[in-house]
Amino acid sequence: MTAPLYRLADATLVEPLVQDFQAWWMTVAPMPASLHLQAYLLPLLKAYLQTPDFHAKAAKDPELSGSSFVGIAPERAEEVRALMQRMTTAQEDNIKLAEAFDEFQTQLLAEAKGQSLEPLYARLPEPLKGVVELVYDYVNRPSMRVHEGLLYRGRHHKTELQSMRIRRLKADAERDSLLTTPRLMEAGQLDWKVPFHDERLDKLFSLDLEPKPLEWIRDVLGDAVQSDADLMPLLTEAPQTLPETWNGPGPRIRYVGHACVLVEWKGTSILIDAVVPVRPEKLGPLARMSFADLPRRIDYVVITHSHPDHLDIETLLRLRHRVGTLMVPRASGALAGDYSPRLLGKALGFKNVLEPYFYESLPIPDGEIIAAPFMGEHGDVAHAKTAWIIRTGEERLFFAADSMCVDETTYRDLRSTVGDLHTVFMNTEIVGAPHTWMLEGFFPKKRDRKLEKNRRCRGSNSTEGLRLLELVGAKRLFNYAMGLEPWMEHIIGPAATPETPRMKESDLLLTTARERGMQAERLEGAREVVLKS
């Protein structure tokens, strides 16, 4: 008798963790992770332990979405205390690195006024020696340039603290904040101690495509499985049908949700800002695409920037075995926070990672992928970000993400160089988080905060958005990345309501664009988009 074959159940969620906190670039990239641990995560857990009841209640309050509260029940406070102790012990050298960076940055700003920086190397704290280069810009403002590649190869990149938490997801609302709430173990979960770069992840996630015998799956997961009773709820024998390769005619555009879009053209598949949900046991009314709805082969995954609603390590790891090339924005490396997405991609186990300069082009059949300037959105702080143009024959799709029209010449030059950008995907997040949100570890504790009040991580308002559309020669607008899908709540908070500023601005932009003869609509929930000529 043939042994039954199993694949991952549709509701099976696999979360990548770093010491129980979900992985994103600020918990993985070595220098940012060290600064974030010292300046944010440990103080956050300490604050929780002082008032666990308050934190647990506040974390569930939609009015406080985006605030720093730990959503752990008070009766589990001792587990949080134990986690904090483990973090302090296991990452002692990372904490010292962050403290040294913070201390020396203050000294550097106070003392370096244009004179030679050479004498200051002798005063570098021990944790920073060999890790940074002291540099000026051209108006004598000092900073430290981090040797990031070295840190990934050294003791500060602690892959032994990485793991995968495997469980069934009953509903989207079960997922606590990615940014503030650690994932304590629950009954029915598997804790798989495996680093993110490990090829065993590809074997596990191959179950999204090809079912395997139970014995094979047990062998992959090893000690994470204590009994078949733990494993069986995560698997299913139900058959599935994967989509066929799209060969036209014309491009097929499938909106996965939020900022995630799949473009298929002449046998080539391109996934932009890959954030792909599982299907929980309890589904809402919105249509949803999941991993089984994506092509067996994804030629390119393209990332606009590192905010976790655009660069999702959970999705990237699950798709890694299907992906030919990961394309990421290019960092300057001039600031500690301007980390390298390319090095992160390599640390996540991707073999082919490209970081093109603006206006560089990668050919695809009868088309190309072009890196384009991504203006604004990051509160005037240097950060790796790239908008993308995908040309399919004579059609050009512009994925502008959270771009702002702060310099008209940029978009005028883009059009004159590349051609009319017929279809534009952009959002209207007009409020945005403060530029220091979740990034406090990079900033000196003493600074003039009055000057920072209007520095927000926002996109274009309706006036700016309309001008951008005019400048690039757009015929149609898809307003996306609006925070409307329930599977995004653990990343960006509750779904936007019609009364929120971003939605009112979206309505105004759509109405005005239609009045000017453009096709314009707001995307919500998975769907297939058919372009009309």
Side-chain angles (χ1 to χ4, degrees), residues 54 76 96 145 154 182 197 248-249 259 278 286 306 352 378 435 505:
F54 174 73
R76 304 194 71 177
K96 289 181 178 178
R145 185 159 58 192
H197 66 265
V278 301
L286 280 185
S306 292
N352 299 314
H378 284 72
H435 72 288
E505 209 69 17

Side-chain angles (χ1 to χ4, degrees), residues 426-458:
M426 65 180 296
N427 83 0
T428 50
E429 171 52 86
I430 65 168
V431 178
H435 72 288
T436 58
W437 187 64
M438 302 301 295
L439 305 178
E440 282 286 354
F442 297 121
F443 295 88
K445 291 182 173 60
K446 292 183 179 180
R447 58 186 193 270
D448 188 349
R449 297 172 189 256
K450 292 180 181 178
L451 296 176
E452 301 176 355
K453 285 187 176 180
N454 65 346
R455 291 175 63 184
R456 314 289 295 190
C457 295
R458 72 171 183 91

Side-chain angles (χ1 to χ4, degrees), residues 507 509-522:
D507 290 338
L509 175 61
L510 293 172
T511 299
T512 309
R514 290 169 190 147
E515 289 173 350
R516 299 194 181 186
M518 298 182 201
Q519 300 173 24
E521 64 176 295
R522 185 165 54 232

Side-chain angles (χ1 to χ4, degrees), residues 311-365:
L311 192 162
D312 180 41
I313 290 177
E314 178 182 309
T315 297
L316 291 179
L317 290 177
R318 189 153 182 168
L319 291 179
R320 185 178 70 196
H321 67 290
R322 303 197 210 184
V323 174
T325 300
L326 176 64
M327 297 181 69
V328 298
R330 178 178 288 271
S332 69
L335 304 177
D338 191 14
Y339 87 107
S340 168
R342 178 181 178 275
L343 288 176
L344 177 69
K346 289 287 189 178
L348 296 179
F350 284 86
K351 300 293 190 285
N352 299 314
V353 188
L354 300 180
E355 48 171 12
Y357 287 98
F358 293 156
Y359 289 96
E360 277 196 299
S361 169
L362 182 98
I364 59 175

